[in-house]
Structure formats: C-alpha cells, structure tokens
Amino acid sequence: IGAGARAVKISTTQLAETLGISQQSASRHLRILESISMIRREIEKDGSFIHMTRKGMDALNSVFHHLRKDLEESAKEAFVFEGIVFSGIGEGAYYVSQEGYRQQVREKVGFEPYPGTLNIRLRTKTDLERREQLERMPGIEIQSFKTEDRSFGRAKCYHVLINDEVEGAVVIAERTGYDRSVMELMAPVNLRKRLGLRDGDIVRVSFSSPQ
C-alpha cells in the first residue's frame, strides 16, 4: 500500500482484514517485522504509521525476483549499461582497502580486488531504470563489520563484464555519498590503466543473471 515510499497509516484491524488473519496475528507480525528491522513503526491510538526499511525492501525484492523467474518463460536476464568515467573523491580506494571487505570479496565474489573503484555516471533514463532492476535482483551480499575505529555498512555485488574485456563487479553500497546515477565498478586490476580510460570516456558494462 505504498509503505516502501512513505509512512502509511493502517490499523491492525485493517491489516488483519487485508491478510485474512486475526487481529492478534496481524499485531504479532508487525512486532516481529519491527524487531528484525524490516519496518519502522509509530504507534497511535487509532493505528500505526508504518514505513518499510531498506532491509525490508531488499527482502521483498528478492522474493519478487525469484517468483518472477519461476513464472516467466526465460529465467535469464541481461542488461547493458553505458556510463561516463569521472574521478571520485577516493572513497572507493579507502573502503576496498579495508580487510573486512577484501576478505569477503575474495571469498564471495572470487577475486582479489584492486584497491579502488572506477566511477561511471549513467547516461540515459533507460540506464537508470535498468540499474533499479538490477538492485531488485539478489546480489552477492557483503556483510557489515566493525573495526576499533568505526563501523562499515553492507553492500551488494553483481558480476559484470567491463568493456567486453575485464571481468569485475558492480558494487552497490548501503551507505554512499553518490546518487543513483553513479555506478562503482570493482575489478582485480586497475581499470583505468588496463582499459586506457580517462575522465569523459564511455564505459560499457554488461550483466547477465545466472541461470
């Protein structure tokens, strides 16, 4: 009912009627969802304001993707993005250099990451729509961790082919200073040197979902 985009007011009676369950069950489900950070809730006398969290939306999108794969004739999806190279502020190098991330990338993504990311800015509305589709798909989960100094957030990775030549990954961080038009690319090599890239060059990123 729109709680992914904004806080929506609903009573446990209304929710119970919608789901075909008892009011007690509806109330229990809400308490559970709140306890595992799937929703945020503000309780009032005549109902609750409910807003889906990022964690909750990720869970829903994962279920949606798996259902769609089972229902559609073709389970394989392929996207091609094009973006313009630009220089970031060095955040990628800082984060990829953290051993808490590097170890997970080695084990889960399958390569030793070069200590830095290549930033590209998507060019068209179609590219932005494809990025949203990509984010709704299950990715390789990189878990959060803590050091003595600070905590580091979660991320998701997707295997891609960069300029039809280098195998790497798109990194979508839970915490980022960039807007959704920016894609961060990670690879086992320095992508700028390997592909001879400079700011303003166009990069092609190909993604195919696993069968």
Side-chain angles (χ1 to χ4, degrees), residues 77-85 118 120-137 158-164 169-172 180-185 201-209:
E77 296 183 81
F79 307 131
V80 175
F81 307 91
E82 285 193 345
I84 299 173
V85 175
L118 179 71
I120 63 170
R121 192 173 299 280
L122 300 178
R123 305 173 66 199
T124 66
K125 180 180 178 181
T126 299
D127 284 324
L128 291 171
E129 290 171 350
R130 287 173 179 160
R131 181 201 164 105
E132 290 182 4
Q133 285 181 270
L134 180 68
E135 286 195 47
R136 289 196 294 267
M137 300 173 66
Y158 299 88
H159 286 292
V160 293
L161 186 64
I162 303 162
N163 271 8
D164 301 317
V170 170
V171 183
I172 297 178
R180 299 176 78 86
S181 69
V182 174
M183 293 186 82
E184 293 184 84
L185 304 176
D201 287 344
I202 295 173
V203 167
R204 175 186 173 91
V205 180
S206 305
F207 165 81
S208 293
S209 65

Side-chain angles (χ1 to χ4, degrees), residues 35-38 52-60 154 174:
S35 71
I36 59 176
S37 302
M38 293 286 190
M52 298 290 296
T53 63
R54 173 69 178 271
K55 182 179 178 182
M57 290 303 298
D58 283 348
L60 280 178
R154 296 185 306 150
E174 183 179 53

